[in-house]
Amino acid sequence: MPEGSRPAHQPRHPGSSRRRGRTIPKGRQLETTAQADVRALLGTAERRRDLLIEFLHLIQDKYGHISAAHLMALADELRMAQAEVYEVATFYAHFDVVREGETAPPATTIRVCDSLSCALAGAEELLATLKAGQDPDVRVVRAPCVGHCHTAPVAEVGHNFIDHADAASVGEAVRSPLHHSAIPDYIDLDAYRANAGYQTLARLRSGALSREALVEIVDKAGLRGCGGAGFPTARKWRSVLGEPGPRLMAVNADEGEPGTFKDRHFLETDPHRVLEGMLMGAHLVEAADIYFYLRDEYPACHAILKRELSRLDAAGLLAGVRVHLRRGAGAYICGEESAMIESIEGKRGLPRHKPPLPFQVGIFGRPTLINNVETLYWVRDLVERGPEWWQGQGRNGRKGLHVYSVSGRVADPGVKIAPAGVTVRELIDEFCGGMLAGHAFKAYVPGGPSSGILPASLGDVPLDFGTLEPHGSFIGSAAVVILSDQDDIRAAAVNLMRFFEDESCGQCTPCRVGTEKAVKLVLRKGWDEKLLGELSVAMRDASICGLGQAAPNALSTVMKHFPADVGIVR
């Protein structure tokens, strides 16, 4: 008998029988109602993988949660595996994924910020009060920093933020809900153009201001990235220009570092100064597409940007540049540039291994220029006033201006534009109206949780890049939180470490396990200096990104400067 042939009656294998057609489809079945819901929400939008998170927002906004049926329908619509859609949806904190057999969350959710500034202002007491009188139709949960640190404590009902929140004001918001917080007054397109707005961009586009001259101005000024890393802006621009096109651009407006709210301030007051700087950067690197990544906690900023980008387009000022406004979804890690790129591409925000760096291989594999909101805010001023103006600012031997987000135990917290190199004592006394009545300056967080906690004895060290490193800290995002003699340093350190534990993306073991172990160790009565030191070294040396590498600063600075407060065990 020829090879490969057999009688029709012969089984393929001993004991086997002919395979019959499946009478019941395998796996979960697509619900036609859910499919219709998703199609209605997506409308005529392109069914692209990189829009997955935007589509998940549509479902979450409409229904208050994301059901298994809607997840399945979305996966079918995008021709993606259900597992892919599920892993993205469950990665981000702002998506309430309801699995099969689970009950959907109540229609109303109250989120109470429990980050350090709010904790100092009584967030724990507010949480306890709200939970004690909790309505079964209302859910009360903790939330990480929402960017309203100067009005702590803060609660969120839907996307409506209640500043200086108490049980009464939160209850009123529940009874009379607003879908979003009110949009504040800001400088719109007409007002901005009336004050010479977009004339500098026009000069650049016409060639009256050359690309080389723009880079040289920024270089001479010494402008640095203001998102935390402090990388020289001109050097970044030149690096991107050195890569072959086509190139892309991204604006990182995902300031999730607790205590930071400067980007929100700029976008809610003078957004076009940021947008003009953005368009100048895009022209410089010849980027036809810009991805503006905005944290989801800023709904007013989102509304402003949608409105003003539409006006820019109608006025012909985008000049063919496409601006893609993307919402984050509650993941601190997406402030890290490579994790942000992953999120823009519709994936989980997991930091990439480097090299290659984003200026080489960025969004969709293309060379990508990434700038922070504050960095772009200063570009127009640098061109119009000149680099000498910027160099003429500064204090204590430093150069330029810095934007400090100040919260905690000061009389007048808020965004403070001050000379780079101002000391924290000068910042408190000259820009914040001094300490709160009855409080004495004891300690400060100079640049968000990643920078650790420093004592008042170091209150005369200039606040700028490179000045705090000898003390085991850094300026970072300039999120300054002031603590007083009435605050518990150990409790503050625990708060910072719990934040890192919650926000670790889980990709690498040193960070995922290290932050968890650190929290357990700092909750003990006495801190084991040797063990915490070994853990810190492992996290710094082996973590993939800055979260795990910088998280131990909260441990090392406290053990060094406040050993009595935490009961060091040697």
Side-chain angles (χ1 to χ4, degrees):
M1 184 179 294
E3 184 179 356
S5 64
R6 61 170 61 87
H9 64 275
Q10 183 176 333
R12 291 178 180 270
H13 301 286
S16 69
S17 60
R18 283 187 178 277
R19 302 182 67 175
R20 298 181 178 179
R22 188 180 292 121
T23 57
I24 300 176
K26 185 179 180 181
R28 299 184 180 91
Q29 301 308 299
L30 185 64
E31 295 182 12
T32 56
T33 302
Q35 185 181 46
D37 291 341
V38 169
R39 286 180 175 174
L41 286 173
L42 270 55
T44 60
E46 291 184 69
R47 272 49 169 178
R48 302 199 319 257
R49 162 56 189 268
D50 64 288
L51 293 173
L52 172 58
I53 295 172
E54 291 297 303
F55 294 155
L56 289 168
H57 274 304
L58 293 176
I59 300 172
Q60 177 73 37
D61 290 346
K62 174 70 174 179
Y63 298 101
H65 64 278
I66 303 174
S67 67
H70 283 140
L71 273 181
M72 193 186 314
L74 182 58
D76 181 74
E77 200 69 14
L78 295 177
R79 298 295 186 265
M80 292 175 61
Q82 293 177 31
E84 289 183 278
V85 176
Y86 178 82
E87 72 176 9
V88 172
T90 53
F91 178 84
Y92 296 94
H94 289 184
F95 295 139
D96 290 312
V97 178
V98 179
R99 300 167 180 82
E100 289 183 354
E102 291 184 344
T103 302
T108 301
T109 296
I110 301 171
R111 291 181 169 86
V112 178
C113 175
D114 68 351
S115 292
L116 182 57
S117 299
C118 284
L120 296 177
E124 292 297 330
E125 292 82 355
L126 177 59
L127 267 165
T129 301
L130 292 174
K131 288 186 175 181
Q134 189 169 341
D135 186 313
D137 295 326
V138 176
R139 178 176 57 162
V140 179
V141 297
R142 295 176 178 272
C145 184
V146 295
H148 289 242
C149 317
H150 59 309
T151 57
V154 180
E156 180 184 3
V157 179
H159 256 337
N160 177 30
F161 292 90
I162 300 97
D163 296 325
H164 303 296
D166 57 22
S169 59
V170 173
E172 179 60 29
V174 171
R175 289 188 293 272
S176 305
L178 295 173
H179 183 62
H180 289 304
S181 293
I183 297 177
D185 293 332
Y186 65 93
I187 300 172
D188 65 8
L189 179 58
D190 292 338
Y192 185 74
R193 295 186 76 180
N195 191 27
Y198 291 104
Q199 291 184 14
T200 303
L201 173 64
R203 289 179 57 213
L204 180 65
R205 285 174 169 172
S206 69
L209 171 67
S210 69
R211 288 181 168 90
E212 295 76 14
L214 174 61
V215 177
E216 189 64 20
I217 288 169
V218 172
D219 195 10
K220 284 184 178 179
L223 182 66
R224 302 179 69 162
C226 301
F231 193 81
T233 301
R235 192 188 305 175
K236 176 181 284 190
W237 286 0
R238 288 190 176 114
S239 297
V240 177
L241 286 168
E243 297 295 317
R247 308 180 190 96
L248 300 174
M249 182 178 181
V251 179
N252 188 344
D254 191 60
E255 56 172 3
E257 191 83 5
T260 311
F261 46 94
K262 58 185 177 64
D263 291 355
R264 181 175 71 83
H265 169 78
F266 288 134
L267 294 175
E268 289 185 354
T269 57
D270 198 0
H272 284 282
R273 194 169 293 270
V274 177
L275 295 176
E276 184 169 10
M278 174 191 77
L279 292 172
M280 290 174 70
H283 181 83
L284 175 71
V285 300
E286 301 175 329
D289 288 275
I290 303 170
Y291 292 83
F292 200 113
Y293 191 87
L294 178 70
R295 68 182 311 214
D296 194 36
E297 290 85 348
Y298 291 172
C301 295
H302 190 271
I304 290 170
L305 287 169
K306 281 187 67 176
R307 177 189 299 172
E308 297 306 314
L309 286 170
S310 177
R311 290 175 176 173
L312 278 177
D313 192 23
L317 290 170
L318 293 183
V321 176
R322 294 175 296 271
V323 183
H324 309 269
L325 184 56
R326 297 292 178 87
R327 286 167 66 182
Y332 165 74
I333 193 63
C334 289
E336 196 277 338
E337 59 183 9
S338 66
M340 178 189 70
I341 290 172
E342 291 289 297
S343 188
I344 287 171
E345 294 179 354
K347 306 172 187 174
R348 294 175 294 167
L350 301 179
R352 296 177 177 179
H353 290 276
K354 303 172 185 177
L357 296 168
F359 79 85
Q360 299 166 312
V361 180
I363 301 170
F364 308 129
R366 296 182 183 179
T368 302
L369 170 63
I370 302 175
N371 282 137
N372 166 262
V373 166
E374 184 190 342
T375 304
L376 297 173
Y377 178 86
W378 291 119
V379 172
R380 176 188 167 188
D381 276 327
L382 290 181
V383 175
E384 294 181 357
R385 301 188 183 194
E388 296 78 16
W389 163 76
W390 184 263
Q391 286 283 306
Q393 309 297 318
R395 190 179 291 187
N396 299 313
R398 313 305 293 181
K399 304 292 183 181
L401 294 169
H402 222 105
V403 183
Y404 303 92
S405 305
V406 188
S407 60
R409 306 299 193 180
V410 291
D412 181 25
V415 169
K416 311 296 178 180
I417 299 178
V422 67
T423 69
V424 72
R425 289 189 191 278
E426 293 168 338
L427 195 61
I428 293 169
D429 295 337
E430 297 178 34
F431 295 87
C432 299
M435 295 291 293
L436 276 175
H439 290 261
F441 178 37
K442 178 179 180 178
Y444 66 108
V445 176
S450 302
S451 66
I453 305 175
L454 297 179
S457 60
L458 294 176
D460 295 319
V461 177
L463 295 174
D464 198 13
F465 299 111
T467 58
L468 297 169
E469 280 76 357
H471 306 286
S473 184
F474 52 82
I475 188 62
S477 60
V480 182
V481 183
I482 306 299
L483 291 86
S484 78
D485 56 342
Q486 298 185 30
D487 296 319
D488 185 335
I489 297 298
R490 178 177 175 274
V494 170
N495 181 286
L496 301 186
M497 289 310 304
R498 277 181 164 155
F499 170 79
F500 289 124
E501 179 188 23
D502 290 341
E503 294 296 334
S504 173
C505 74
Q507 180 179 197
C508 66
T509 302
C511 178
R512 181 185 67 250
V513 177
T515 53
E516 178 191 357
K517 297 301 181 186
V519 169
K520 291 180 178 178
L521 290 173
V522 298
L523 285 172
R524 293 180 180 178
K525 187 175 182 179
W527 284 22
D528 188 324
E529 184 178 38
K530 181 179 179 182
L531 186 56
L532 284 170
E534 291 174 352
L535 178 61
S536 298
V537 169
M539 292 175 66
R540 288 193 179 103
D541 290 351
S543 294
I544 290 173
C545 81
L547 192 156
Q549 294 163 9
N553 289 339
L555 307 175
S556 58
T557 54
V558 168
M559 288 191 292
K560 179 179 180 180
H561 300 294
F562 303 95
D565 292 72
V566 296
I568 289 292
V569 177
R570 292 187 167 93

